[in-house]
Amino acid sequence: MAVEFRPVLNGHRYPRVVGIDGAPAGARADGATIAVLYILILLCTPAALIVRGLPLSVTPAAVLGFFGLVMWMLTHFTGNLGVAKGRNMARTGLFLFLTVNLTAYGYGTYHWLPSDELNMADQLLFLTLANLGIGLLVCDGVRGIDRLNTVLKAAVVGGAIIGVVGAIQFVTGFDVTRYMVLPGLRLSWEDLYVFERGTVRRVSATTAHPIEFGVVCAMLLPLAAHYAMRAKTLGEPFLRWWACTALIGAGLMFSVSRSAVLSLIVIGAVLVSGWTWRRRLRALGLLLAFLVVMRVAVPGLLGTFVGLFTNFFTDSSVQYRTHDYDLAFAEIGEHLWLGRASGTWYAPKYQVFDNQFIQSAIDTGLIGAAVYVLMLALAAAAGLRARRLSTDPHVRDLGLTLGGVMLAPIVASATFDLLSFATVTGLAFLLIGAAGALLRTAREAQPMQGSGPASPVTT
């Protein structure tokens, strides 16, 4: 394969991967194809479903993610399949995360472990490799802004689908996910996906918990709004993307999650910092209109959200999250730097800490917790760096959006053990790869900006 440059908006040239015969790479299966399939399986398959007949409890999305890791490794053995090579800050973060997890696994299993903890360590190592696989595949295997848009639009559509599932659960109390068990899969737990918070119902859609559902919606909502605004600017059909935005926003509300609101506030702060005043006012108007509709359609819902913050210091869920810190710090002190290996501290055998920073410090030590934050920060930096490198308005907006979105997992990690939830974890790693892919696209376009003739560049 090769990369050819073609003009887009404002006379700038952006890369498009083409085959040896000159046909667009998008006409055949590539990294974007696998990523689209992954995100739809990840979001549209209930989190409780795992593959039958395997010695480990893994979801179908995790199996596909591990396949993506194998494909990524094989393509890097060649020089003519169009896979990107060279340094990238998002990929550096993924490699650091892999290194610290392998080191912690080796350190933890070097000593004797009970068989149940060893089995959990093996399972978590497989899941870590699967998540890294999809991140690396997107970072290096999705070439060009068109293919990256395809992946991210699939994520938005998947978010709209689970928004519909969540709406059905919220309005009717009926858990439709119990009828979504596919052949070859089995349920790993029987818990329902519909909960109660005071007098208001809260739902999980296809994820494992309302908190996870809310954070997933918070991460996808800015992407949906980005493509809605982009379509309108380009004169393309845009109502479908605003419909997706509304469904994802409704899903966030139906989760009744404090973590989702905090994540969205942080993302919004980043977006507002890079928007014009006109866009800020327009976004504020849309937000107010949406809240009015939700207040009329679901009386009491907004009041419940207000109560999540006004009663913060007396909330039983907050008190539960903080009462066991002494136990956590004592356990961290036992294995300060490299932890006891991911998966070896698990519920119901041990106390659950609803804080990913604490959980990471126990699993992979202080080094692992720091690298976890660094990986997400590097992905955010990659998106913002792509924004600075490009002069195309849509690439710049997407870079700003991804830069803000990648801060959401950092914020949410303070309120629940994020890496214990497969859907939000898989989405986070896919978006890390997307930030890296966007940075590559912006870098590859730089030398070719201008009015000079386009020439193919082999990778």
Side-chain angles (χ1 to χ4, degrees), residues 356-367:
Q356 186 56 51
F357 301 129
I358 292 177
Q359 189 64 54
S360 292
I362 291 174
D363 290 342
T364 56
L366 296 182
I367 296 176

Side-chain angles (χ1 to χ4, degrees), residues 46-50 52 177-178 180-181 185-191 193:
L49 291 182
I50 59 175
R52 291 181 181 271
T177 59
R178 69 180 67 183
M180 297 171 64
V181 180
L185 306 178
R186 64 179 178 85
L187 291 171
S188 57
W189 70 77
E190 299 291 340
D191 294 344
Y193 288 69

Side-chain angles (χ1 to χ4, degrees), residues 196-209:
E196 299 289 338
R197 186 163 207 157
T199 59
V200 177
R201 185 180 294 127
R202 60 192 309 221
V203 300
S204 307
T206 60
T207 68
H209 195 274

Side-chain angles (χ1 to χ4, degrees), residues 62 67 75 93 123 158 174 208 218 221 247 304 327 337 341 353 370-371 407:
F67 172 76
T75 54
Q123 177 168 314
F174 175 69
L221 184 62
L247 289 171
T304 301
L327 173 62
W337 300 113
F353 304 110
V371 167
L407 296 181

Side-chain angles (χ1 to χ4, degrees), residues 229-254:
M229 291 184 289
R230 175 179 183 271
K232 186 174 182 180
T233 301
L234 295 177
E236 300 173 351
F238 60 88
L239 291 180
R240 66 189 69 173
W241 298 113
W242 281 121
C244 289
T245 305
L247 289 171
I248 295 171
L252 186 151
M253 299 294 291
F254 297 153

Side-chain angles (χ1 to χ4, degrees), residues 108-439:
T109 56
Y110 178 77
H111 307 285
W112 180 85
L113 286 175
S115 59
D116 59 330
E117 295 184 14
L118 181 60
N119 290 337
M120 288 297 294
D122 292 341
Q123 177 168 314
L124 261 293
L125 180 62
F126 177 87
L127 295 177
T128 298
L129 293 175
N131 288 321
L132 286 163
I134 197 63
L136 291 170
L137 183 73
V138 173
C139 182
D140 293 345
V142 177
R143 307 298 303 277
I145 191 64
D146 291 341
R147 299 302 284 163
L148 181 58
N149 283 334
T150 298
V151 173
L152 296 179
K153 286 179 179 179
V156 170
V157 172
I161 292 173
I162 64 173
V164 172
V165 174
I168 294 173
Q169 293 172 335
F170 185 86
V171 173
T172 67
F174 175 69
D175 185 12
V176 68
T177 59
R178 69 180 67 183
Y179 298 101
M180 297 171 64
V181 180
L182 303 176
L185 306 178
R186 64 179 178 85
L187 291 171
S188 57
W189 70 77
E190 299 291 340
D191 294 344
L192 298 179
Y193 288 69
V194 181
F195 302 79
E196 299 289 338
R197 186 163 207 157
T199 59
V200 177
R201 185 180 294 127
R202 60 192 309 221
V203 300
S204 307
T206 60
T207 68
H209 195 274
I211 296 177
E212 181 185 21
F213 179 40
V215 174
V216 166
C217 289
M219 295 171 67
L220 292 176
L221 184 62
L223 289 170
H226 164 79
Y227 284 110
M229 291 184 289
R230 175 179 183 271
K232 186 174 182 180
T233 301
L234 295 177
E236 300 173 351
F238 60 88
L239 291 180
R240 66 189 69 173
W241 298 113
W242 281 121
C244 289
T245 305
L247 289 171
I248 295 171
L252 186 151
M253 299 294 291
F254 297 153
S255 70
V256 194
S257 169
R258 184 188 295 110
S259 303
V261 176
L262 292 174
S263 299
L264 197 59
I265 289 174
V266 172
I267 296 172
V270 175
L271 295 180
V272 168
S273 68
W275 284 350
T276 63
W277 276 106
R278 181 179 180 183
R279 177 169 290 188
R280 291 171 185 170
L281 294 174
R282 184 183 303 173
L284 179 61
L286 290 173
L287 174 62
L288 293 176
F290 176 78
L291 293 178
V292 169
V293 171
M294 295 302 300
R295 180 178 176 83
V296 173
V298 190
L301 182 59
L302 292 184
T304 301
F305 271 97
V306 173
L308 293 177
F309 294 92
T310 57
N311 302 322
F312 182 84
F313 294 103
T314 59
D315 193 313
S316 59
S317 65
V318 175
Q319 295 173 350
Y320 178 80
R321 283 175 168 84
T322 58
H323 84 282
D324 48 16
Y325 280 5
D326 290 341
L327 173 62
F329 295 147
E331 184 60 33
I332 292 171
E334 292 291 323
H335 308 278
L336 186 61
W337 300 113
L338 292 175
R340 51 180 290 153
S342 296
T344 56
W345 185 280
Y346 69 96
K349 183 176 182 178
Y350 298 109
Q351 174 69 46
V352 175
F353 304 110
D354 290 312
N355 185 308
Q356 186 56 51
F357 301 129
I358 292 177
Q359 189 64 54
S360 292
I362 291 174
D363 290 342
T364 56
L366 296 182
I367 296 176
V371 167
Y372 167 67
V373 176
L374 178 62
M375 174 184 66
L376 295 171
L378 285 174
L384 297 176
R385 176 63 175 167
R387 171 181 171 82
R388 288 193 295 270
L389 290 177
S390 178
T391 56
D392 180 85
H394 298 303
V395 175
R396 286 173 55 81
D397 282 349
L398 183 56
L400 180 68
T401 303
L402 287 174
V405 165
M406 292 317 307
L407 296 181
I410 298 178
V411 175
S413 291
T415 59
F416 79 118
D417 46 333
L418 185 144
L419 292 181
S420 299
F421 294 85
T423 305
V424 69
T425 301
L427 177 62
F429 276 88
L430 181 134
L431 293 180
I432 290 172
L438 185 66
L439 179 57

